[in-house]
Amino acid sequence: MQKSALPLSDANANKKREELRRKETLVKLLRWHFGYPDFRDMQLDAIQAVLSGKDCFCLMPTGGGKSMCYQIPALAKAGIVLVVCPLIALMENQVMALKEKGIAAEFLSSTKTTDAKVKIHEDLDSGKPSTRLLYVTPELITTPGFMTKLTKIYTRGLLNLIAIDEAHCISSWGHDFRPSYRKLSSLRSHLPDVPILALTATAVPKVQKDVVESLQMQNPLMLKSSFNRPNIYYEVRYKDLLDDAYADLSNTLKSLGDVCAIVYCLERSMCDDLSTNLSQNGISCAAYHAGLNNKMRTSVLDDWISSKIKVVVATVAFGLWSSFRMGIDRKDVRIVCHFNIPKSMEAFYQESGRAGRDQLPSRSLLYYGVDDRKRMEFILRKSVSKKSQSSSSQEESSKMSLIAFNLMVEYCEGSGCRRKRVLESFGEQVTASLCGKTCDGCRHPNLVARYLEDLTTACALRQKNGSSRVFMTSSTDAINGEQLSEFWNQDEEASGSEEDISDSDGNGNEVVNNLTRSKLQSKLGVSEKLAMLQRAEENFYRNNNAYKQSNKVDKNAISDPMRGSSRQRLQNALKQVQQRLDNFKIEMETSASFLEEECYKKYGKVGKSFYYSQVASTVRWLTTASSSELINRLSAINASTSMNVLSEAENLLIPANQPLTPAEQPLTSPPALDPYARDTSNEHSGTARSETSACVLPMEGSFSTNLPQIPSFSEFVNSRKAKGDQLHDTKRHSSRVEKKMRIQ
Ligand SMILES: Nc1ncnc2c1ncn2[C@@H]1O[C@H](COP(=O)(O)OP(=O)(O)OP(=O)(O)O)[C@@H](O)[C@H]1O
Ligand SMILES: [Mg+2]
C-alpha cells in the first residue's frame, strides 16, 4: 500500500516552521543584545551550523562580523563557548565590549591578577558556570593543566563550541603563521564531539585546506564570502614623485578633519619620526611599536580606542602581533595609510581592513617608494638565504613570501583597477565594473598612467646617470646583519610581541612565577637590546668611514626639498624650545639650517634613512634636553652664525681682485672632523674652523665657540640613564615645564 503524501508534507512544513522559529529566536538575541536589526551575509548560516553540532569554516572579509558567529551561539545555549584568540589586547577589547552589554565573558591571560583568575576558575569548576564566552590564547589551551580543565567541562556537557579566531595563523602558508596555533590540532582528539568554528578574513585556498586539515575538522560547512570591501577607496601615491611624503601625509590627514586613522610603517625609527612630525603639524597622534613597554603600548591603544588620540603610527613586521593589525574593532577608522609597502597582499588586506568597519566610506592610501620596495626585497631575500640553511619547507615558504611580495608590487606599479588586483590575489575573479570607480586606477586612469610613466622615466634617468645608489638597493646590500638589526630588528619585534601573547596554564602560582620570570627576562632584554643597538651604532660608524673612503655613494640621494622639509621640522622643534625657555632668543632659520647641515654632513652621503634618523635624533634632543644644555648649545649656534654673518659682511669689503689669504679660502670639501663624533674631548676651541661647516665658520681668532654636542643614540640613552640615577639618588626637584617635555 502506498503511503499518504500528507503526513510527509506536514513533516516538511513542521520542519520549516521550526527552522523559522529558531531563526526568529536568533534574530531576537541579536537585536536584544547587540541592537542590530538583522544578520549580515553568512552569519546566520555559520551560527545555525555550529548550533546543530557541525564544524564550520568561515571566511568573511575584514570587519564582516565574524565574532558574531560565536557570540550568538554562546547566548543561544547554556554552557560555554571557548574562543581562541591570538592577542591579549584583542581578547580584552572583545571581553570589555561584551561585558558592557551585560554578557558574561571572561579571558584568561598572564595579564590578569591571581585573584581574578581564581574567580574565573572557581566559576568554571562550579558545574554551573555563569561564564558564556571564555577567551584564551593558543599557548594556554595546549598546556596540560588547562586541557584537563577543559576536559572536565566537556565531560559535564558544558562545552558547546570551540571558535578559532584568525585561524589563518595555523598555516605556515599564511602570512601570520604562529607555531602555537599548530598545536590546536590536539583539540579534536581531546574533545571529539565539540563543533569547531574556524574564522578568518585572509586565507587563500591552500591556507583554507591547511586550516581544515590541521584542526581535523569533520566535513565542515565551508562558508566563503567575497573579500570585497566596497566601502574602501584604494589609492597609491608615489613617494619618488612627491617632494615631501611626510608633508603629503600630514596634509591628507588634515584635509579629512579630525578623523580616526592608522598609519603603518616598516621601521620603528620612521614610526617615531613620522609621529613626531604629524604631532608637530597639529595632528593628535602617537607611535606604537615593540620598542615601547607594555604599559605604554596599552596606554596608546586605550587612548586611541577612546578617541583621546586620533592617529596611531604603528610598525608592521614579521611576527609582530600588533593590536593594530588584526581584530581590534574600532569602527570609525576613516583612513588607513601604509607609509611603506606591505610584505604581501594578505598583510595589506588585513591592515587596510581596519578602515570602515562601520561600513561607511573610508580610504586605503599606500605610499609606494622604489627604495622601500628594494628594501623589502632585500629583507625577504635575506630571510630566504637564512632559512635555506635550515629546512627545505622553510626555504619554500620563504620563496613564497617573495612571490607574494611581487603581487603587492604589481598592485602598486600596475595600472587598472586596484580593487580587482586585491580580489584576484585571493583567487576571486571579478570585472573592473564591480569597483564603480572606487579606486584611483578606475577614477583617474590617465593620471595614474602618467604617474607610472614619470616613475619609470625617473628610475631610468637615474640609472643612466650612473648613480650607484639612487634607491636603497645598494645601501641595503651593504647592510650587514647588525646594521640590519638597527633598521629592522625582527627578533626584537618578535620578543616584544611575546609580551602580548605569552601565557601560562592559568594556575595562580605559576602565573606569579611566570610574571617574575618575564619581568627578569624583559629587564635582561632591555640591556641586551641597548648593547645590540650600541654595537649597531659602532658598526655604523666603522662602515660610515668605509663609505667615506670608498666614496661610492651618490651625493644627490637627498634632495633639496627633503632638506628643506628637515629644516622646517627643526624650526618647528626650535619654536617649541623657545616657548619652553621663556622666549629665549633663537635665530630660527639660521639655527635650523645649522642643525640640518650637521645632519646632512654626517649622513648625507650614507643615505636618506640615516639622514632622516639623525634629523629625528636632533628633534628628539631638542625636545628632551635640559634647559641649560639647550641654552648652551643654542647660544653657541647663535654666536657662531652671527659671527659668520659678520664675516660675510666683512668679505664684501674685500676688493674683488684682491687674492684671498689661505685662511680665507673657501672650504671645498667637508670638514674632516664630524661634530657629532663620539670623541667627546673639547675639540672645538682651538680648531674650531676645521670642525664646523663652511657656512657657519666663525672668524679665526676673533671668536672661539664651544659647541655642546647633540649626543649619539647610545650617549643619549646612557646620559638619560645616568640622569635618572642621579635624580633618583638626590631626589632633586626639576622644573614642571621640563618634566612635561620629558614625558612627551
Ligand atoms: N549583523 C550585524 N549588523 C551590524 N553590525 C554588525 C553585525 N554583525 C557584526 N557587526 C559589527 O561589525 C563590526 C565588525 O565585526 P567583527 O569585529 O566581528 O569583524 P571581523 O569579521 O571579526 O573582522 P576582522 O577580520 O577585521 O577581525 C563590529 O563592530 C560588529 O559589532
Ligand atoms: Mg575579528
Side-chain angles (χ1 to χ4, degrees):
M1 206 178 87
Q2 254 193 337
K3 277 187 183 172
S4 150
L6 203 62
L8 199 67
S9 64
D10 256 6
N12 272 344
N14 280 344
K15 204 179 153 201
K16 280 208 165 139
R17 263 200 299 276
E18 180 56 20
E19 269 173 18
L20 202 70
R21 195 189 59 77
R22 280 190 189 157
K23 187 191 158 187
E24 278 171 1
T25 311
L26 295 173
V27 173
K28 270 184 197 160
L29 282 174
L30 176 77
R31 287 180 190 160
W32 176 257
H33 289 283
F34 297 94
Y36 298 135
D38 212 340
F39 287 109
R40 269 188 199 157
D41 203 13
M42 295 173 180
Q43 281 177 332
L44 190 62
D45 297 319
I47 293 165
Q48 285 179 327
V50 295
L51 281 174
S52 69
K54 228 177 148 30
D55 286 348
C56 177
F57 180 94
C58 184
L59 184 74
M60 270 192 204
T62 47
K66 291 183 283 297
S67 320
M68 205 59 83
C69 302
Y70 52 80
Q71 287 168 349
I72 291 288
L75 299 164
K77 232 182 189 179
I80 291 174
V81 166
L82 185 78
V83 185
V84 181
C85 195
L87 284 171
I88 293 174
L90 191 51
M91 298 196 288
E92 282 173 350
N93 185 236
Q94 287 209 7
V95 168
M96 200 177 69
L98 289 168
K99 280 188 167 171
E100 274 170 13
K101 292 181 171 64
I103 298 168
E106 293 293 351
F107 69 95
L108 279 171
S109 84
S110 52
T111 55
K112 283 249 168 198
T113 63
T114 310
D115 277 357
K117 280 191 162 192
V118 167
K119 264 192 188 161
I120 296 169
H121 282 292
E122 279 174 359
D123 183 52
L124 296 178
D125 292 338
S126 70
K128 264 191 166 185
S130 60
T131 305
R132 309 299 287 265
L133 287 127
L134 180 66
Y135 287 75
V136 292
T137 56
E139 286 78 15
L140 176 64
I141 242 190
T142 48
T143 54
F146 192 71
M147 192 50 100
T148 311
K149 181 145 294 189
L150 276 184
T151 315
K152 228 189 216 172
I153 298 171
Y154 164 70
T155 45
R156 287 176 175 167
L158 290 171
L159 191 58
N160 289 336
L161 171 66
I162 299 169
I164 317 285
D165 207 2
E166 310 290 354
H168 60 277
C169 299
I170 216 166
S171 173
S172 55
W173 302 110
H175 61 108
D176 279 322
F177 174 53
R178 170 126 157 228
S180 53
Y181 257 73
R182 205 87 202 152
K183 294 190 190 144
L184 297 176
S185 57
S186 66
L187 281 168
R188 178 68 355 131
S189 47
H190 282 96
L191 315 159
D193 305 326
V194 185
I196 294 178
L197 170 64
L199 308 122
T200 177
T202 48
V204 291
K206 199 170 181 170
V207 174
Q208 295 167 21
K209 190 165 171 274
D210 205 7
V211 172
V212 168
E213 283 173 5
S214 306
L215 290 172
Q216 302 179 50
M217 294 170 85
Q218 305 290 312
N219 191 22
L221 173 69
M222 298 294 285
L223 295 174
K224 297 183 204 172
S225 306
S226 165
F227 286 88
N228 192 20
R229 293 289 313 271
N231 62 321
I232 299 182
Y233 181 89
Y234 294 97
E235 182 184 353
V236 176
R237 289 190 191 165
Y238 299 93
K239 279 181 176 175
D240 300 273
L241 305 179
L242 290 169
D243 280 347
D244 183 349
Y246 274 31
D248 191 84
L249 174 64
S250 171
N251 292 337
T252 304
L253 290 173
K254 276 183 163 176
S255 72
L256 294 175
D258 197 19
V259 297
C260 177
I262 304 177
V263 181
Y264 293 108
C265 284
L266 183 65
E267 305 148 0
R268 257 179 238 180
S269 58
M270 182 170 282
C271 187
D272 284 332
D273 198 19
L274 194 50
S275 162
T276 312
N277 182 276
L278 294 175
S279 302
Q280 282 166 355
N281 282 304
I283 293 166
S284 149
C285 176
Y288 183 97
H289 52 65
L292 305 178
N293 62 29
N294 265 357
K295 211 172 147 196
M296 283 288 286
R297 272 191 281 173
T298 309
S299 133
V300 172
L301 186 63
D302 289 348
D303 286 352
W304 182 73
I305 285 177
S306 64
S307 261
K308 267 192 210 150
I309 48 171
K310 292 289 182 176
V311 181
V312 159
V313 186
T315 45
V316 282
F318 299 95
L320 172 63
W321 295 87
S322 164
S323 315
F324 287 99
R325 288 198 59 225
M326 52 168 75
I328 285 291
D329 187 33
R330 167 132 195 191
K331 291 183 202 169
D332 58 344
V333 177
R334 292 279 71 90
I335 181 165
V336 168
C337 301
H338 281 88
F339 204 70
N340 302 101
I341 183 169
K343 68 183 164 109
S344 68
M345 214 49 153
E346 283 102 326
F348 172 66
Y349 180 77
Q350 182 93 53
E351 288 146 16
S352 59
R354 300 306 99 208
R357 291 158 76 80
D358 53 8
Q359 317 291 312
L360 295 175
S362 309
R363 283 169 75 174
S364 155
L365 173 59
L366 193 160
Y367 284 91
Y368 175 72
V370 180
D371 287 2
D372 295 344
R373 188 199 86 203
K374 297 197 171 183
R375 181 183 295 204
M376 183 57 92
E377 275 167 357
F378 170 80
I379 292 164
L380 293 171
R381 223 169 262 134
K382 182 117 182 144
S383 86
V384 169
S385 60
K386 239 187 193 174
K387 286 185 180 168
S388 59
Q389 288 158 14
S390 40
S391 78
S392 61
S393 70
Q394 273 178 325
E395 189 186 353
E396 197 187 338
S397 96
S398 294
K399 279 184 182 152
M400 289 293 290
S401 61
L402 272 168
I403 294 169
F405 180 60
N406 274 342
L407 282 179
M408 199 62 241
V409 174
E410 280 168 21
Y411 172 87
C412 301
E413 290 190 353
S415 54
C417 180
R418 308 244 190 238
R419 183 177 306 281
K420 192 166 181 285
R421 279 182 196 277
V422 173
L423 298 177
E424 281 177 355
S425 73
F426 289 105
E428 212 173 310
Q429 291 305 321
V430 293
T431 55
S433 62
L434 172 95
C435 183
K437 301 201 174 184
T438 52
C439 77
D440 58 347
C442 290
R443 188 173 291 182
H444 308 293
N446 297 338
L447 195 65
V448 172
R450 209 183 72 212
Y451 286 153
L452 289 171
E453 221 167 83
D454 289 352
L455 189 69
T456 318
T457 317
C459 293
L461 236 162
R462 284 165 177 182
Q463 263 166 9
K464 197 174 152 209
N465 284 346
S467 138
S468 60
R469 52 167 294 286
V470 174
F471 304 123
M472 217 59 205
T473 350
S474 42
S475 96
T476 48
D477 286 347
I479 294 170
N480 63 26
E482 298 245 46
Q483 273 183 293
L484 183 71
S485 71
E486 193 180 29
F487 278 123
W488 177 268
N489 196 336
Q490 290 185 39
D491 295 338
E492 207 183 332
E493 294 286 5
S495 74
S497 66
E498 285 299 314
E499 291 166 17
D500 269 351
I501 61 178
S502 64
D503 223 319
S504 74
D505 76 351
N507 167 295
N509 286 337
E510 197 166 321
V511 174
V512 175
N513 291 341
N514 280 357
L515 273 175
T516 328
R517 240 189 346 254
S518 77
K519 266 181 193 156
L520 281 173
Q521 277 166 357
S522 67
K523 248 189 184 172
L524 192 74
V526 169
S527 50
E528 275 172 351
K529 283 170 196 171
L530 284 179
M532 201 165 61
L533 284 169
Q534 287 182 11
R535 269 204 313 279
E537 190 185 35
E538 280 156 17
N539 244 325
F540 164 71
Y541 281 101
R542 263 204 307 279
N543 291 334
N544 188 22
N545 282 337
Y547 266 117
K548 277 180 183 163
Q549 280 158 19
S550 62
N551 202 22
K552 274 185 190 162
V553 284
D554 175 19
K555 285 177 188 164
N556 300 319
I558 296 167
S559 66
D560 284 346
M562 230 180 263
R563 295 192 62 187
S565 104
S566 298
R567 280 192 287 274
Q568 189 54 52
R569 290 188 56 205
L570 289 160
Q571 209 169 312
N572 291 343
L574 284 166
K575 278 181 195 154
Q576 286 186 6
V577 170
Q578 192 171 44
Q579 279 173 3
R580 189 178 147 205
L581 299 181
D582 264 348
N583 289 329
F584 171 75
K585 189 176 177 309
I586 301 173
E587 296 293 342
M588 288 296 169
E589 276 183 32
T590 39
S591 300
S593 298
F594 180 92
L595 292 169
E596 189 277 333
E597 178 70 23
E598 286 190 325
C599 299
Y600 184 69
K601 265 196 316 180
K602 187 173 183 186
Y603 289 118
K605 288 184 179 180
V606 187
K608 271 192 241 179
S609 294
F610 279 103
Y611 166 76
Y612 271 143
S613 164
Q614 188 60 23
V615 173
S617 279
T618 311
V619 169
R620 186 177 57 215
W621 182 82
L622 286 169
T623 51
T624 55
S626 70
S627 307
S628 57
E629 281 173 323
L630 284 166
I631 290 172
N632 278 345
R633 172 93 179 152
L634 295 170
S635 309
I637 293 176
N638 275 353
S640 66
T641 48
S642 60
M643 287 314 295
N644 185 46
V645 172
L646 197 67
S647 103
E648 275 172 12
E650 284 179 0
N651 280 343
L652 288 178
L653 300 175
I654 301 171
N657 56 359
Q658 187 175 322
L660 296 173
T661 66
E664 291 159 346
Q665 296 284 352
L667 293 177
T668 50
S669 59
L673 202 95
D674 188 333
Y676 286 104
R678 290 157 61 78
D679 179 5
T680 51
S681 60
N682 198 358
E683 69 272 46
H684 293 291
S685 48
T687 51
R689 182 159 193 158
S690 63
E691 291 157 13
T692 48
S693 87
C695 73
V696 289
L697 196 66
M699 279 174 71
E700 195 156 348
S702 62
F703 197 85
S704 127
T705 61
N706 199 359
L707 302 182
Q709 291 188 351
I710 290 173
S712 67
F713 175 77
S714 52
E715 287 161 352
F716 174 77
V717 171
N718 288 336
S719 71
R720 279 179 74 86
K721 198 169 156 268
K723 266 184 206 159
D725 292 346
Q726 213 182 343
L727 269 176
H728 187 72
D729 291 344
T730 57
K731 291 192 169 35
R732 235 188 306 153
H733 176 71
S734 60
S735 85
R736 234 177 56 219
V737 187
E738 214 169 278
K739 250 189 196 165
K740 193 175 160 237
M741 292 309 293
R742 278 166 197 224
I743 291 164
Q744 289 168 347

